[in-house]
Amino acid sequence: MALSDSELILNPDGSIYHLNLLPEDISSTIITVGDPTRVPLVTKYFDSIEIEKGSREFLTQTGIYNGKRITVISTGIGTDNIDIVFNELDALVNINFTTREVKKEKTQLDFIRIGTSGAIQADIPVDSFLLSTSAVGFEGLLHFYDAGHVRNHSLEEQLNSFLEWNAHNIVAYAVDSDKNLGDMITSNRIRFGITATNSGFYGPQGRSLRLAPKITDFNDKLASFLYKNQQITNLEMETAGIYGLAKLHGHRAISLNAILANRATGEFSSNAVRTVDDLIKYTLEKLVS
């Protein structure tokens, strides 16, 4: 059945609505970053750049790194943007824009998030790298999809029972990373942990400037949770949505975090730019090694 104009929205040039991209503009290996200014920080290491397009906060560059075609795209902040980016990237490879029908043969994409994050465990040093083996989402995105078959029900049930935040209308969902893709990136430089994805940066992460958060022990409570010998290690705003939508579409995804802050110790990196650059170089080398 053909998708209607209001469901699959295309621009006059045939590109997908928000991202302003054509199917041929992207690779099957996609690095996501939050900040548009971080896209050229990745692609400056490319041998060549063949595509550069931007719309709103979504900047895309596709090029060649050491013989491998890679796309880098900025998502902006939050899983509301992840919902747009991941649905539209999947549409680029798995929907025929001429017939407006879903293709019978599906293309699988690999997503690697290079992001920044704050640790909530005191023993995780700033400037370290962390791979999110699972993500727990407190922002609600996956509750809008028929997603039961991709969720880690054991993790989310234990976490929700432990937190007892139902009274605050907070019910977390949980999704695991793609292990095979993670194994490609792993080395002794990488730490592992469960990442909490939050709906905001201040109150939803237990921060207080002039407004008092409703849950005063937010980070301490999360930090004390243990699931199969794994702790909740860090907070950010995209990973759970990335893992959920990637799995729902049949894609592979991992999230790599440059730990720039430690909420337990109050530290913030004095080498943030270098740390992010080191994670970029590390990721690119792993993708071609």
Side-chain angles (χ1 to χ4, degrees):
M1 178 181 295
L3 294 162
S4 70
D5 290 350
S6 65
E7 302 304 293
L8 175 64
I9 306 173
L10 301 179
N11 297 313
D13 65 351
S15 63
I16 195 75
Y17 183 54
H18 295 93
L19 303 186
N20 194 34
L21 295 173
L22 297 166
E24 60 266 27
D25 292 338
I26 66 169
S27 166
S28 60
T29 299
I30 300 175
I31 293 173
T32 70
V33 296
D35 186 347
T37 65
R38 195 171 292 155
V39 171
L41 298 183
V42 179
T43 59
K44 70 181 181 181
Y45 294 110
F46 283 16
D47 304 312
S48 61
I49 297 173
E50 62 185 73
I51 297 291
E52 180 172 1
K53 293 184 177 180
S55 176
R56 302 175 175 87
E57 60 266 61
F58 310 120
L59 176 63
T60 303
Q61 292 183 353
T62 297
I64 303 297
Y65 176 78
N66 201 8
K68 185 177 181 67
R69 191 171 189 252
I70 300 173
T71 292
V72 185
I73 185 170
S74 60
T75 64
I77 298 174
T79 57
D80 52 345
N81 279 7
I82 294 302
D83 185 60
I84 291 171
V85 172
F86 275 65
N87 275 294
E88 294 195 359
L89 287 173
D90 177 78
L92 286 169
V93 296
N94 288 318
I95 296 176
N96 185 313
F97 283 9
T98 301
T99 65
R100 308 182 70 86
E101 293 181 339
V102 176
K103 296 177 181 178
K104 291 181 180 179
E105 297 295 324
K106 304 298 189 299
T107 297
Q108 184 181 74
L109 302 173
D110 284 344
F111 292 102
I112 303 93
R113 171 186 176 268
I114 298 178
T116 58
S117 187
I120 59 173
Q121 302 292 344
D123 63 345
I124 298 178
V126 297
D127 302 316
S128 60
F129 302 160
L130 186 143
L131 189 154
S132 307
T133 54
S134 301
V136 290
F138 292 102
E139 34 42 76
L141 175 61
L142 241 62
H143 296 316
F144 291 90
Y145 289 94
D146 181 10
H149 59 293
V150 303
R151 286 160 55 176
N152 183 333
H153 293 284
S154 173
L155 170 54
E156 62 188 30
E157 287 167 8
Q158 289 188 38
L159 177 62
N160 286 319
S161 175
F162 174 81
L163 295 175
E164 297 182 326
W165 286 352
N166 298 43
H168 303 298
N169 298 314
I170 298 174
V171 179
Y173 64 87
V175 190
D176 299 329
S177 66
D178 185 273
K179 186 178 185 305
N180 291 331
L181 186 56
D183 287 345
M184 290 173 52
I185 302 295
T186 296
S187 76
N188 58 9
R189 291 197 67 181
I190 301 292
R191 293 170 176 264
F192 303 96
I194 301 170
T195 293
T197 296
N198 307 91
S199 59
F201 186 76
Y202 290 96
Q205 292 189 31
R207 282 186 175 88
S208 176
L209 298 182
R210 291 206 313 120
L211 301 179
K214 187 176 183 182
I215 304 173
T216 56
D217 63 344
F218 187 88
N219 289 343
D220 291 339
K221 189 77 169 177
L222 288 177
S224 61
F225 176 72
L226 192 67
Y227 175 76
K228 294 184 177 180
N229 294 319
Q230 277 203 310
Q231 297 173 305
I232 295 178
T233 47
N234 61 305
L235 310 179
E236 50 75 81
M237 294 177 62
E238 289 89 34
T239 297
I242 289 172
Y243 284 3
L245 292 185
K247 280 187 182 292
L248 283 172
H249 283 120
H251 305 309
R252 307 194 301 177
I254 59 167
S255 176
L256 298 174
N257 303 270
I259 301 299
L260 299 187
N262 188 300
R263 302 289 302 285
T265 64
E267 295 175 88
F268 191 85
S269 172
S270 59
N271 300 299
V273 173
R274 186 178 70 188
T275 298
V276 172
D277 186 56
D278 285 346
L279 181 56
I280 289 168
K281 291 185 288 187
Y282 173 90
T283 304
L284 289 173
E285 283 303 304
K286 282 292 182 179
L287 287 174
V288 300
S289 61

